[in-house]
Amino acid sequence: MAITQISLPLPVLPEGWSAPNDFKAIGTLSTPNQRNLEPVGPHFLAHARRKRHKRSFSEDERIQAQEHVKKVEDDDGDNISEPEDPLMLGRDAKDWKGQDHYAVLGLSKHRYRATDSQIKRAHRKKVLRHHPDKRAAS
């Protein structure tokens, strides 16, 4: 890695400027304190993982992104595949207050933790599955 040094001149001070007369300190520096730092947190764990596997920052970031994608794909694959209850399909739409909306969409195991995108995907899947034109064609 090459280091490039750029030299820039400092701005010229106005005529008649003197440090003791024209410079006024706003406050004072506090005395230094010695602090103990503990190796905890996600950033330290990432650093330890990189050192253990002898990876650079970019390599580790790329590998972690790939693992995250695999985990998300595995999690998303079975989100909306709950079997449909025939009793649920026969319920009256006017009784919407007594229904479990997450179970209707197949998201009963996620409940309030279901994300907006999961709810939208589940709704689209149910709409396509129970669309009258789609059912008539099959």
Side-chain angles (χ1 to χ4, degrees):
M1 180 175 184
I3 298 175
T4 306
Q5 185 175 6
I6 302 173
S7 59
L8 297 172
L10 293 174
V12 180
L13 295 173
E15 284 185 38
W17 189 87
S18 65
N21 296 336
D22 296 332
F23 180 74
K24 294 179 181 56
I26 297 174
T28 59
L29 294 176
S30 61
T31 58
N33 294 331
Q34 185 171 355
R35 305 265 186 208
N36 292 329
L37 297 178
E38 295 183 18
V40 295
H43 299 291
F44 172 76
L45 294 175
H47 170 72
R49 184 180 57 242
R50 286 192 301 271
K51 291 297 178 189
R52 186 172 136 221
H53 296 296
K54 296 182 176 108
R55 296 180 188 153
S56 68
F57 187 83
S58 58
E59 286 175 324
D60 189 61
E61 192 173 56
R62 179 180 49 82
I63 291 170
Q64 290 299 314
Q66 288 173 349
E67 289 176 3
H68 179 69
V69 166
K70 288 178 189 173
K71 187 190 314 181
V72 168
E73 287 174 354
D74 291 344
D75 290 346
D76 287 347
D78 60 342
N79 278 348
I80 311 168
S81 62
E82 293 180 11
E84 290 182 340
D85 184 13
L87 296 175
M88 195 176 307
L89 295 175
R91 286 187 135 186
D92 186 18
K94 294 178 184 174
D95 185 29
W96 63 271
K97 287 185 180 181
Q99 295 179 9
D100 181 9
H101 301 294
Y102 293 105
V104 170
L105 292 175
L107 297 171
S108 59
K109 65 180 176 182
H110 294 288
R111 310 224 34 94
Y112 64 91
R113 293 182 311 248
T115 63
D116 289 342
S117 62
Q118 289 172 331
I119 293 170
K120 287 178 185 176
R121 273 199 327 259
H123 181 262
R124 288 183 184 133
K125 187 173 179 180
K126 293 291 180 180
V127 166
L128 286 176
R129 180 178 290 158
H130 298 289
H131 192 277
D133 293 338
K134 302 283 182 181
R135 236 185 307 144
S138 60

